Amino acid sequence: MSFTHIDEQGQAIMVDVSGKPETSREAQARARLQLPDAVVSALRDETIPKGDVLGTARIAGIQAVKKCSELIPLCHPLPVTKAAVTFDWDRDELVIVCSVKTRGVTGVEMEALTGASVAALTVYDMCKAIDKGITFDVSLVSKSGGKSGDWHA
Amino acid sequence: MSFTHIDEQGQAIMVDVSGKPETSREAQARARLQLPDAVVSALRDETIPKGDVLGTARIAGIQAVKKCSELIPLCHPLPVTKAAVTFDWDRDELVIVCSVKTRGVTGVEMEALTGASVAALTVYDMCKAIDKGITFDVSLVSKSGGKSGDWHA
Amino acid sequence: MSFTHIDEQGQAIMVDVSGKPETSREAQARARLQLPDAVVSALRDETIPKGDVLGTARIAGIQAVKKCSELIPLCHPLPVTKAAVTFDWDRDELVIVCSVKTRGVTGVEMEALTGASVAALTVYDMCKAIDKGITFDVSLVSKSGGKSGDWHA
Amino acid sequence: MSFTHIDEQGQAIMVDVSGKPETSREAQARARLQLPDAVVSALRDETIPKGDVLGTARIAGIQAVKKCSELIPLCHPLPVTKAAVTFDWDRDELVIVCSVKTRGVTGVEMEALTGASVAALTVYDMCKAIDKGITFDVSLVSKSGGKSGDWHA
Amino acid sequence: MSFTHIDEQGQAIMVDVSGKPETSREAQARARLQLPDAVVSALRDETIPKGDVLGTARIAGIQAVKKCSELIPLCHPLPVTKAAVTFDWDRDELVIVCSVKTRGVTGVEMEALTGASVAALTVYDMCKAIDKGITFDVSLVSKSGGKSGDWHA
Amino acid sequence: MSFTHIDEQGQAIMVDVSGKPETSREAQARARLQLPDAVVSALRDETIPKGDVLGTARIAGIQAVKKCSELIPLCHPLPVTKAAVTFDWDRDELVIVCSVKTRGVTGVEMEALTGASVAALTVYDMCKAIDKGITFDVSLVSKSGGKSGDWHA
């Protein structure tokens, strides 16, 4: 078992994907925020204006998808053909799902994970004045396309 | 209880901090990666060259600290005066801590959380060929300085 | 009458502001969109989901304020302390106002103008499938602070 | 009539263009600056060194074309294959035209409009010490290629 | 003999490459650092912890490859498919080689030269506290692919 | 002798400058391009339109000064208060000097070196169709301000 981004000398490299064929690729990643009660109440209280909390996080996530190869040093730049960020409640957890598509030579797992993470960070930013004890976890939900085929969590 | 980044009409705003005094501020955030066995083995196996996995993640995290206000829409730009990223093992979890300092009018919690998240995403990127089932959680460890005072998780 | 960003040889320069005192500065810029009827109807029709059109443009404008010195070659980087973007209707024109503050050695006119322009471009982007004949004009509304004092359109 | 960047729930989305064929695409946008007399005189006075005013604005416009998908949240990234910015006088108005080409799955209207806008903002920046009453308007001149076909103002 | 990035009026332009065929392209550039004795000693002394000096420069170089079209105004954006940075000693000179590949309509000479330059600047940054008299020179080693064919220094 | 950007464990760090006083700082860096005859002739031939070659390189250099902390991983962000790029001929060498000022807690050597390097890369880009054998060397000319005092090459 070895690391694809590390050459034989143990040095980081952006691996050569010149010869790989372009295929349709898709990935979904999820961030789940564990929110203290006061934050849940504020986000769910209909009397508090907050229309833009999730809308702002959605835009931040979509823009982060496009910045992925700038943030993750060994990621290849990719022409993203779709990016979407959705929000759902699972009891007191806010569940963010980021879906990304491309037609290219590498997958879009990192793009989806980056989008979900930055959307979660943006929710944190907008709620941190209420309670700084917000936490979130991040994971890949699924990917399809490419030589390594499909994957589901 | 209300949202500081939302005005009375429920619209997102980068709040006015013109009148706030500059003080020394510090924050620490943590990302913990839950690694499948094969990834732990590869990262701990002395026979596999991997010197640059954590080194690359560290640089990615430090650079992300400086990009925070570009990623998080309502964050104020800040003159970061220190950024460090460390790695430790807690059994099979890889624990990343990102520490940030500034002297300014707003805190550096978002900078620390962004640095820790991007460092974790970079580790994911470099290990995902071994196993895509890596997950990570992110939280604030502590912050000091500013009107809201000290906070610890 | 001469150009402050051009030296005696006619060459572009980012002028020396090292000796200037830091003062509170503020500026407001406006973009007005002239919208074809079909776009006005769509934006005002309560039956069409469009909550995020203006919300997205607002976030784009605020983020552009922070990118001003990256876009305008001879602008000095500034620690923006407030950025807000508002929308109003003036008959069939959509009026965007971008307000910016800083405490620094140069003014924030360019930041406000850039924010208003990018918010207008974002509205164009989201409505262009309905009609590409949207136009917009951009102007400074007011500025205060600094050696050149206050100015109103 | 509905918004292509908004899904059925009224939420912003970077729409899926995975299935669209790549075609040659072209767009031209125009910014016209209404210049106070003192600015016109300075720009036309042969005795004032100013060679770089328009040259600087041209470079700023070309670079902004490449930054379009970073500035406009729901724009798809595109491999720009040509970008040019020209200047002409129409009486006392300075007319900027930005022309962009690509071979891709989405059009380059936003790229051309962004380039024209940032070139105009740069002229404003370099002339604002003479008179802050400069205004400019922005519009699409033409586009060709893609499913929606040709369009002229 | 004339300049390809300058039109007939002597004005900068990002030239039209729409009609050019996509081919495999490759380039290598080199930066050589002339290091004062104290810097050489520190870099070669096994007793000083410095594992990350070259590792940091490598990551900086790889990321700069991806930023090339943002830094060099008339460069076309390109989907880089490989980027690597290596280090070698030639007596007291540290030799950095940056190798880049793409499949596209323009070459990657500028990407390779930018990567080598930024890697060298990063080494300078990390050694400048020891001696500021470090210098470096930059040149193209080779390129292949495209209409102009192969080239070697 | 040790490395200031490396901690005791040999790990890269953006060092803590929180306690350092703000002082006026200045630096000058130089890039010298060794140009093949055909390039010298083209640049000096009055009959070839090329007004924008050096003008474009100047703008690229000034913008790179502002991007320094984004390119060089361990550089602190700084509020640049002046940036200028000049060109001179020394026989057949084109000499670029980049001058930078700030009032801050760290020096601007890296900003000046980055500006000079990117200006040189831009000249290379615009002349490479004539001859790819252009080389350039980069060095610090002088710096002043800060605890380490003045330095001249």
Side-chain angles (χ1 to χ4, degrees):
Chain A
M1 200 64 74
S2 68
F3 296 96
T4 48
H5 295 69
I6 301 289
D7 69 13
E8 312 80 53
Q9 282 78 43
Q11 296 169 345
I13 187 172
M14 194 171 134
V15 293
D16 190 349
V17 296
S18 313
K20 294 178 70 179
E22 288 197 354
T23 60
S24 292
R25 289 152 187 278
E26 214 168 331
Q28 281 200 315
R30 180 176 52 214
R32 287 186 313 184
L33 290 119
Q34 293 78 41
L35 302 171
D37 287 351
V39 176
V40 175
S41 300
L43 282 172
R44 292 190 150 172
D45 182 342
E46 299 293 327
T47 67
I48 297 179
K50 67 194 153 278
D52 269 350
V53 174
L54 302 190
T56 300
R58 177 182 291 115
I59 296 303
I62 289 173
Q63 287 183 299
V65 164
K66 293 188 271 185
K67 276 193 170 298
C68 177
S69 71
E70 188 178 329
L71 293 170
I72 312 297
L74 305 176
C75 257
H76 295 82
L78 270 179
V80 172
T81 54
K82 181 206 163 185
V85 173
T86 60
F87 298 93
D88 267 300
W89 286 98
D90 179 12
R91 302 198 181 187
D92 282 358
E93 291 197 338
L94 182 64
V95 182
I96 302 175
V97 174
C98 178
S99 308
V100 182
K101 281 192 186 177
T102 194
R103 184 167 176 79
V105 296
T106 56
V108 283
E109 295 96 300
M110 293 317 302
E111 280 75 7
L113 287 160
T114 300
S117 299
V118 171
L121 287 165
T122 302
V123 172
Y124 186 103
D125 182 41
M126 298 179 81
C127 297
K128 71 177 192 289
I130 303 178
D131 193 321
K132 288 176 178 55
I134 299 167
T135 61
F136 63 90
D137 56 76
V138 179
S139 61
L140 189 67
V141 175
S142 65
K143 64 138 295 203
S144 64
K147 192 176 144 199
S148 72
D150 292 359
W151 186 92
H152 287 83
Chain B
M1 200 64 76
S2 68
F3 296 96
T4 47
H5 294 69
I6 301 289
D7 69 14
E8 311 81 51
Q9 282 78 43
Q11 296 168 346
I13 186 172
M14 194 172 136
V15 292
D16 190 350
V17 296
S18 314
K20 294 177 70 180
E22 288 197 354
T23 60
S24 292
R25 289 151 187 279
E26 213 167 333
Q28 281 199 314
R30 179 175 54 212
R32 287 185 313 182
L33 290 119
Q34 292 79 41
L35 302 170
D37 286 351
V39 176
V40 174
S41 300
L43 282 172
R44 290 189 152 173
D45 182 341
E46 298 293 327
T47 68
I48 297 179
K50 67 197 153 274
D52 269 350
V53 174
L54 302 190
T56 300
R58 178 182 290 116
I59 296 303
I62 290 173
Q63 287 183 299
V65 164
K66 293 188 270 186
K67 277 194 170 299
C68 178
S69 70
E70 190 178 327
L71 293 170
I72 312 298
L74 305 177
C75 258
H76 295 81
L78 271 179
V80 172
T81 53
K82 182 206 162 185
V85 173
T86 60
F87 299 92
D88 267 300
W89 287 97
D90 178 13
R91 304 195 179 185
D92 283 359
E93 291 196 338
L94 182 64
V95 182
I96 302 174
V97 173
C98 179
S99 309
V100 182
K101 280 193 188 178
T102 194
R103 182 166 178 81
V105 297
T106 56
V108 283
E109 295 96 299
M110 293 316 303
E111 281 74 9
L113 287 160
T114 301
S117 299
V118 171
L121 287 164
T122 302
V123 172
Y124 186 103
D125 182 41
M126 298 180 83
C127 297
K128 71 178 191 289
I130 304 177
D131 193 320
K132 289 177 178 56
I134 299 167
T135 61
F136 63 89
D137 56 74
V138 179
S139 60
L140 189 68
V141 175
S142 64
K143 61 138 297 202
S144 63
K147 191 175 144 198
S148 71
D150 292 359
W151 185 92
H152 287 82
Chain C
M1 200 66 74
S2 68
F3 296 95
T4 47
H5 295 69
I6 301 290
D7 69 13
E8 311 80 53
Q9 282 78 42
Q11 296 168 345
I13 187 172
M14 193 172 135
V15 292
D16 190 349
V17 296
S18 312
K20 294 178 68 180
E22 288 197 353
T23 60
S24 292
R25 289 151 187 279
E26 213 169 334
Q28 281 200 313
R30 179 175 53 213
R32 287 184 314 182
L33 290 120
Q34 292 78 42
L35 302 171
D37 286 351
V39 176
V40 175
S41 300
L43 282 172
R44 290 189 153 174
D45 182 342
E46 299 293 328
T47 68
I48 298 179
K50 69 197 150 276
D52 270 350
V53 174
L54 302 190
T56 300
R58 178 182 290 115
I59 296 303
I62 290 173
Q63 287 183 298
V65 164
K66 293 188 270 185
K67 275 194 171 300
C68 178
S69 70
E70 190 177 327
L71 294 169
I72 313 298
L74 305 177
C75 257
H76 295 82
L78 270 178
V80 172
T81 53
K82 182 206 163 185
V85 173
T86 61
F87 298 93
D88 267 301
W89 286 97
D90 178 11
R91 304 198 180 185
D92 282 358
E93 291 196 338
L94 181 64
V95 182
I96 301 175
V97 173
C98 178
S99 308
V100 182
K101 281 192 187 178
T102 195
R103 182 166 177 82
V105 297
T106 57
V108 282
E109 295 96 300
M110 293 316 302
E111 279 75 8
L113 287 159
T114 301
S117 299
V118 171
L121 287 164
T122 302
V123 172
Y124 186 103
D125 182 42
M126 299 180 82
C127 296
K128 72 177 190 291
I130 303 177
D131 193 321
K132 288 178 178 55
I134 300 167
T135 60
F136 63 89
D137 57 74
V138 179
S139 60
L140 189 67
V141 176
S142 65
K143 62 138 296 200
S144 64
K147 192 175 143 198
S148 71
D150 293 359
W151 185 92
H152 288 83
Chain D
M1 200 64 76
S2 67
F3 296 95
T4 48
H5 294 69
I6 301 289
D7 68 15
E8 312 80 53
Q9 282 78 42
Q11 296 168 346
I13 187 171
M14 195 172 134
V15 293
D16 191 349
V17 296
S18 314
K20 295 178 69 179
E22 287 197 355
T23 60
S24 292
R25 290 151 188 279
E26 214 168 330
Q28 280 199 315
R30 179 175 53 213
R32 288 184 313 184
L33 290 119
Q34 293 79 42
L35 301 170
D37 287 352
V39 176
V40 175
S41 301
L43 282 172
R44 291 189 150 172
D45 182 341
E46 299 293 328
T47 67
I48 298 180
K50 66 194 154 275
D52 269 349
V53 173
L54 302 189
T56 300
R58 178 182 290 116
I59 296 302
I62 291 173
Q63 288 184 298
V65 165
K66 294 188 270 185
K67 277 194 170 297
C68 177
S69 71
E70 189 178 325
L71 293 170
I72 313 298
L74 304 177
C75 258
H76 295 82
L78 271 178
V80 172
T81 54
K82 182 207 162 185
V85 173
T86 60
F87 298 93
D88 267 302
W89 286 98
D90 179 12
R91 305 198 179 184
D92 282 358
E93 291 196 338
L94 181 64
V95 182
I96 303 174
V97 174
C98 179
S99 308
V100 182
K101 280 193 187 179
T102 195
R103 183 165 177 81
V105 297
T106 57
V108 282
E109 296 95 301
M110 293 316 303
E111 280 75 8
L113 287 160
T114 301
S117 299
V118 171
L121 288 165
T122 302
V123 173
Y124 186 103
D125 181 41
M126 298 180 82
C127 297
K128 70 178 192 288
I130 303 177
D131 193 321
K132 288 177 178 57
I134 299 167
T135 61
F136 63 90
D137 56 75
V138 179
S139 60
L140 190 67
V141 176
S142 65
K143 62 140 295 200
S144 63
K147 193 176 144 198
S148 71
D150 292 359
W151 185 92
H152 287 83
Chain E
M1 200 64 74
S2 68
F3 296 95
T4 48
H5 295 69
I6 301 288
D7 69 13
E8 312 80 53
Q9 282 79 43
Q11 296 168 345
I13 187 172
M14 193 170 136
V15 293
D16 191 350
V17 296
S18 313
K20 295 178 70 180
E22 288 197 355
T23 60
S24 292
R25 290 151 187 279
E26 213 167 331
Q28 281 199 313
R30 180 175 53 213
R32 287 185 313 183
L33 290 119
Q34 293 79 41
L35 302 171
D37 286 351
V39 176
V40 175
S41 301
L43 282 172
R44 291 189 151 174
D45 182 341
E46 300 293 326
T47 67
I48 298 180
K50 67 194 152 279
D52 270 350
V53 173
L54 302 190
T56 300
R58 178 182 291 115
I59 296 302
I62 290 174
Q63 287 183 299
V65 165
K66 294 189 270 186
K67 277 195 170 297
C68 178
S69 71
E70 190 178 327
L71 293 170
I72 312 298
L74 305 177
C75 256
H76 295 81
L78 271 179
V80 172
T81 53
K82 182 206 161 185
V85 173
T86 60
F87 298 93
D88 267 301
W89 286 97
D90 179 10
R91 302 195 181 188
D92 282 358
E93 290 196 339
L94 181 65
V95 182
I96 302 174
V97 174
C98 178
S99 309
V100 182
K101 280 192 186 177
T102 194
R103 184 167 177 81
V105 296
T106 56
V108 283
E109 296 95 302
M110 294 316 303
E111 280 75 8
L113 287 160
T114 301
S117 299
V118 171
L121 287 165
T122 302
V123 173
Y124 186 103
D125 181 42
M126 298 180 82
C127 296
K128 71 178 193 289
I130 303 177
D131 193 321
K132 288 176 178 56
I134 299 167
T135 61
F136 63 90
D137 56 74
V138 179
S139 60
L140 190 67
V141 175
S142 65
K143 62 137 296 201
S144 64
K147 192 176 145 199
S148 72
D150 292 359
W151 185 92
H152 287 83
Chain F
M1 200 65 75
S2 69
F3 296 96
T4 47
H5 295 67
I6 302 288
D7 68 14
E8 311 81 52
Q9 282 78 43
Q11 296 168 345
I13 187 171
M14 194 171 135
V15 292
D16 190 350
V17 296
S18 313
K20 293 179 70 180
E22 288 197 352
T23 60
S24 293
R25 289 152 186 279
E26 213 168 332
Q28 282 200 313
R30 179 174 55 213
R32 287 185 313 183
L33 289 119
Q34 292 79 42
L35 302 170
D37 286 351
V39 176
V40 175
S41 300
L43 282 172
R44 291 189 152 173
D45 182 341
E46 299 292 329
T47 69
I48 297 179
K50 66 195 155 278
D52 270 349
V53 174
L54 302 190
T56 300
R58 177 182 291 116
I59 296 302
I62 290 174
Q63 287 183 297
V65 164
K66 293 188 269 185
K67 277 193 171 299
C68 179
S69 70
E70 189 178 328
L71 294 169
I72 312 299
L74 305 177
C75 257
H76 295 82
L78 270 179
V80 172
T81 53
K82 181 205 163 186
V85 173
T86 60
F87 298 93
D88 267 301
W89 286 97
D90 178 11
R91 304 195 179 188
D92 282 358
E93 290 196 338
L94 182 64
V95 182
I96 302 174
V97 174
C98 178
S99 308
V100 182
K101 280 192 187 179
T102 194
R103 182 166 179 81
V105 297
T106 57
V108 283
E109 296 96 300
M110 293 317 302
E111 280 75 7
L113 287 160
T114 301
S117 299
V118 171
L121 288 164
T122 302
V123 172
Y124 186 103
D125 182 42
M126 299 181 81
C127 296
K128 71 179 192 290
I130 304 176
D131 193 321
K132 288 177 179 54
I134 299 166
T135 61
F136 62 91
D137 56 75
V138 178
S139 60
L140 189 67
V141 175
S142 65
K143 60 139 296 201
S144 63
K147 192 175 144 199
S148 71
D150 293 359
W151 185 92
H152 287 83

